[in-house]
Amino acid sequence: MTLLAVERIKLFSTRSAWWCSALVLALTIGFAGLFASQLDQMTVSMTQVGHQFGLMVVLVLATLSITTEYRFGTIRSTFLAVPNRTAALAAKTVLVALVALVLGEIAAFGSWGVSNLLSPNADLALATADDWRMVAGVGLVFAIGAVLAVAVGALLRQTAGAVTLLLIWSLLLENLVGMIPTIGEDVQKWMPFNHASNFLASGGDGMPLGPWGSLGYFAGVVLAIWVVSLVVVQRRDA
């Protein structure tokens, strides 16, 4: 608990964390409101149209949580105070994931609430398990995405490189993979962010796994990358 408290103080002692948190909510809820104001008939899945924008900011926030420590050299003080680097990295990862989870849930239910206000004629009741998954599941995707960003940040140690890699990977690379002749479409079906989207989708887009299987696959890929980053952090000088 002490390590988590320390990581919380370090994270929110910078303005970037507060700005990123505000931007996550503004973009996610704002796009949902804009979408709902233009349509008479909304569905539950459509209320989360802005989650992708929020996720991108979460990736930036989580990356900054570790790359700024390398940039300003405070990571050395962290490892001197906590020689167990596994515990130090795990505490940072857990704290950032919890923040991302809370932001995701606020953004998701905020988007759903705004959509209800702006599209009162639409049936947006959370009546089924799938409806709840499409809304409450946003926080889970944000949390897992934050873990990935911490891992990539620990591997690259530079904000620009880590953020660029994450954004290109999630926004561009996974779509371009499908253009590779012969194998492209098959490979694309196993890209991690596509599985995150499949978890939040209303279903039926030809993915090899169901929604919860896709979430498990996404989490498994992220955990593997995080373990690699832990090994590198253990072996590399701060």
Side-chain angles (χ1 to χ4, degrees), residues 205-228:
D205 59 354
M207 292 292 285
L209 300 174
W212 289 101
S214 285
L215 181 68
Y217 177 79
F218 180 47
V221 172
V222 169
L223 178 60
I225 296 173
W226 187 85
V227 170
V228 171

Side-chain angles (χ1 to χ4, degrees), residues 98-185:
L98 287 174
V99 170
L101 175 65
V102 171
L103 287 174
E105 296 303 328
I106 295 173
F109 282 98
S111 297
W112 176 76
V114 166
S115 298
N116 269 285
L117 288 175
L118 297 179
S119 187
N121 296 324
D123 181 12
L124 299 179
L126 302 180
T128 68
D130 285 341
D131 292 336
W132 280 99
R133 169 177 53 80
M134 287 185 280
V135 178
V138 171
L140 295 176
V141 171
F142 278 21
I144 297 171
V147 174
L148 174 63
V150 170
V152 172
L155 287 169
L156 299 186
R157 302 201 292 187
Q158 292 184 343
T159 301
V163 168
T164 300
L165 174 61
L166 286 165
L167 295 186
I168 289 178
W169 178 2
S170 59
L171 295 175
L172 185 62
L173 181 61
E174 293 198 353
N175 292 322
L176 291 178
V177 165
M179 300 173 65
I180 299 175
T182 308
I183 64 171
E185 291 185 3

Side-chain angles (χ1 to χ4, degrees), residues 41-64:
Q41 294 300 320
M42 289 279 290
T43 63
V44 172
S45 64
M46 292 165 65
T47 66
Q48 304 305 311
V49 66
H51 88 273
Q52 190 70 26
F53 300 100
L55 177 59
M56 296 305 103
V57 183
V58 165
L59 295 178
V60 174
L61 169 62
T63 302
L64 287 171

